[in-house]
Amino acid sequence: MSGGRNYGDPCGVARGLDIIGERWALLVVRNLLLGPRRFNDLLGGLPGMSPNVLSQRLRELTEHGVVRRRDLGPPARVHLYELTAWGRALEPILLEFGRWGSQSPQLPEGALGIDSLLLTIKVGFDPARAADLRGVYAFHIDADPYLAEVADDSVQLRRGTTAEPDATLTTDIDTLRAVCGQQMTMAAAADAGVLALTGDTDATRRLTDLLLTPFTPRNLADDET
């Protein structure tokens, strides 16, 4: 990496660490797995990271072909950061690393961000249940829209919207954490007016199962990201 260490070892592991081994680099990649982000959105999702360090990591990841910057141009004049195809190839590695890391006996203080919460759906997804969970589901979390699509034997997650989801969950990040952490039920959150679940009965059941199954005690022990 520019300004970073280089192991000087031709092994693929060492060469990979030359690219993504610096502190924060993999978390930047994690927070881009669901789609492009603006600089400030990335920074907001990485508590404790300074703007200067984020700028440096984005520059290094861009130089190595893991991330690219896309300029939307006028009138928006917005710069977006997104993974390249090579960068996206890190997804299964990160999900497996999350499974491994979740078994650590040490649990640091802090709350899961929205990207980590939703990526847990992918980590805990059982392909054998794909037929039962098939559908397109929208999550509106604070100001951010996300989509989960279950088809064949996989679930795909991304930032974005669709005109006609099968079911939609609308809430804020604190409520979502409470529901996933089993401090509050979906029904209690809806009664309190901090969560809305729309769609027909079967579709809302499928959305609920898709979201909450990875957070059951059994799955937390085995599959949490």
Side-chain angles (χ1 to χ4, degrees):
M1 283 186 135
S2 301
R5 63 175 176 264
N6 185 301
Y7 290 102
D9 185 334
C11 166
V13 173
R15 291 164 63 191
L17 288 173
D18 285 342
I19 297 170
I20 58 169
E22 291 293 329
R23 182 171 170 82
W24 296 105
L26 272 180
L27 296 185
V28 172
V29 173
R30 180 200 66 188
N31 283 17
L32 290 174
L33 284 176
L34 298 183
R37 282 290 205 183
R38 295 177 300 179
F39 182 92
N40 286 338
D41 293 331
L42 272 173
L43 189 63
L46 295 164
M49 189 180 197
S50 72
N52 286 342
V53 172
L54 177 56
S55 294
Q56 183 177 350
R57 292 294 170 267
L58 287 170
R59 182 172 61 253
E60 293 163 349
L61 291 169
T62 299
E63 288 174 357
H64 284 287
V66 176
V67 169
R68 63 173 162 246
R69 192 177 88 164
R70 179 156 51 92
D71 300 328
L72 297 186
R77 299 190 182 280
V78 171
H79 307 306
L80 294 178
Y81 293 91
E82 60 188 1
L83 295 175
T84 63
W86 193 47
R88 289 204 61 80
L90 284 165
E91 179 174 326
I93 299 169
L94 275 174
L95 295 181
E96 285 299 328
F97 192 58
R99 289 188 183 98
W100 180 81
S102 68
Q103 298 174 44
S104 168
Q106 298 179 348
L107 184 64
E109 294 183 1
L112 284 174
I114 182 59
D115 293 273
S116 297
L117 277 170
L118 293 181
L119 285 171
T120 300
I121 295 174
K122 294 202 77 165
V123 171
F125 182 74
D126 181 0
R129 298 197 64 210
D132 296 330
L133 298 174
R134 183 179 297 273
V136 178
Y137 310 106
F139 298 88
H140 295 165
I141 313 301
D142 293 317
D144 292 328
Y146 298 84
L147 285 175
E149 182 174 2
V150 181
D152 300 324
D153 61 352
S154 67
V155 56
Q156 300 301 320
L157 284 163
R158 64 179 176 86
R159 295 186 186 92
T161 60
T162 187
E164 297 182 359
D166 295 298
T168 300
L169 174 72
T170 302
T171 189
D172 59 85
I173 183 61
D174 290 333
T175 300
L176 185 65
R177 288 193 192 106
V179 169
C180 291
Q182 301 183 44
Q183 288 96 38
M184 180 184 291
T185 65
M186 285 263 205
D191 289 342
V194 293
L195 179 148
L197 191 58
T198 59
D200 64 47
T201 301
D202 189 49
T204 56
R205 176 195 57 78
R206 297 196 307 270
L207 183 154
T208 301
D209 286 350
L210 178 68
L211 174 64
L212 296 185
T213 296
F215 292 94
T216 62
R218 178 184 63 81
N219 283 296
L220 281 173
D222 299 335
D223 295 326
E224 183 187 2
T225 186

